């Protein structure tokens, strides 16, 4: 039954124009103030209360959205809404900073870690790494780790992989930081022409950390300016936009999970290389990663 549900999800992603996935900011609030994050620096409309949020998620499910990606802020500041999402959707993924723990619900947790202890704490605040990893060790099911590569952590990836290889996780996936066209300030994104060096290094490290490495050559090619990047790096061509609707915490739609100003020409979203490697190139490892990640 589970296998059938997963196969149906992949089929609709690949062969129908149906929007089967909702990306929902389930809360505006976060307990951290990460240096690389725009979230806590911007004003937002008030979030839906619990009753309205449950009704909203139910309406999305009734419209055929069987998969949901739950974001914040920090979703676990609303544990009841995480639990509701896990009941309403067939394939819930919940992104978390890990500091609030992992509850025993029917969802796949995606834990954001930016580096090994020193680098992670320099970005997310003192004690953030220990809190997240302490909770990770007690998690009722193995999380997937997600790391966004920026100028702040690009030289810490091997140390991170070494740390993660001793932890109970399913694997680790990588995004590149996606800058905004409307926000100004320090640019921590990796220039497109430098991505190849980092990807080559990760593929080299894959030989040692193959058990957890969520990157294949086909996926790396999607990020690369000299390969397939230009096939999807616009709002018109973005495969995520084709299968997924994104919503603010008040239920209003937004064009991209990174916000209205996301610069598609420098997109670093990990899900697109994974999707394209699996669906367009039938990369068996990418298919296996999706199989393990979705409920
Ligand atoms: S935990 Fe996530 S939402 Fe909160 S400040 Fe950090 S990056 Fe932003
Ligand atoms: S920035 Fe957003 S809309 Fe643009 S390509 Fe990336 S995921 Fe798609």
């Amino acid at each position: 039954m589970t296998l059938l549900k997963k196969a149906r999800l992949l089929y609709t992603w690949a062969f129908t124009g149906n929007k089967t996935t909702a990306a929902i900011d389930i809360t505006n609030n976060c307990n951290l103030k990460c240096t690389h994050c725009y979230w806590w620096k911007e004003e937002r409309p008030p979030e839906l209360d619990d009753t309205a949020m449950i009704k909203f998620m139910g309406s999305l499910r009734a419209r055929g959205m069987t998969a949901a990606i739950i974001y914040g802020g920090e979703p676990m500041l609303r544990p009841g809404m995480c639990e509701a999402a896990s009941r309403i959707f067939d394939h819930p993924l919940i992104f978390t900073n890990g500091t609030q723990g992992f509850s025993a619900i029917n969802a796949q947790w995606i834990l954001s870690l930016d580096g090994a202890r020193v680098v992670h704490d320099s970005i997310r605040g003192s004690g953030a790494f220990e809190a997240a990893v302490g909770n990770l060790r007690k998690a009722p099911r193995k999380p997937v780790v997600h790391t966004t590569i920026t100028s702040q952590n690009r030289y810490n990836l091997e140390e991170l992989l070494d740390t993660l290889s001793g932890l109970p996780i399913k694997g680790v996936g990588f995004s590149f930081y996606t800058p905004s066209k409307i926000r100004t300030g320090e640019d921590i994104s990796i220039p497109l022409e430098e991505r190849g060096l980092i990807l080559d290094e990760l593929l080299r490290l894959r030989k040692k950390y193959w058990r957890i490495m969520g990157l294949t050559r086909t996926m790396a090619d999607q990020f690369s300016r000299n390969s397939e990047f230009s096939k999807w790096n616009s709002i018109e061509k973005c495969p995520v936009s084709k299968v997924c609707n994104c919503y603010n915490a008040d239920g209003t739609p937004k064009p991209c999970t990174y916000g209205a100003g996301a610069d598609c020409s420098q997109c670093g979203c990990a899900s697109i290389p994974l999707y394209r490697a699996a669906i367009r190139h039938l990369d068996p490892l990418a298919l296996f990663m999706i199989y393990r990640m979705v409920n």
Side-chain angles (χ1 to χ4, degrees), residues 30-34 36-40 72-74 97 124:
C30 189
N31 59 314
L32 299 183
K33 287 191 170 175
C34 305
H36 63 352
C37 181
Y38 63 92
W39 189 264
W40 55 274
E74 170 47 49
N97 63 37
R124 295 199 174 232

Side-chain angles (χ1 to χ4, degrees), residues 178-179 229 232-242 246 255-259 261-272:
T178 302
F229 188 53
W232 58 265
N233 69 342
S234 70
I235 192 79
E236 295 79 20
K237 293 184 278 185
C238 170
V240 170
S241 301
K242 288 191 172 53
C246 302
C256 168
T257 187
Y258 295 129
D263 184 354
C264 297
S265 72
Q266 297 187 68
C267 179
C269 177
S271 55
I272 299 177

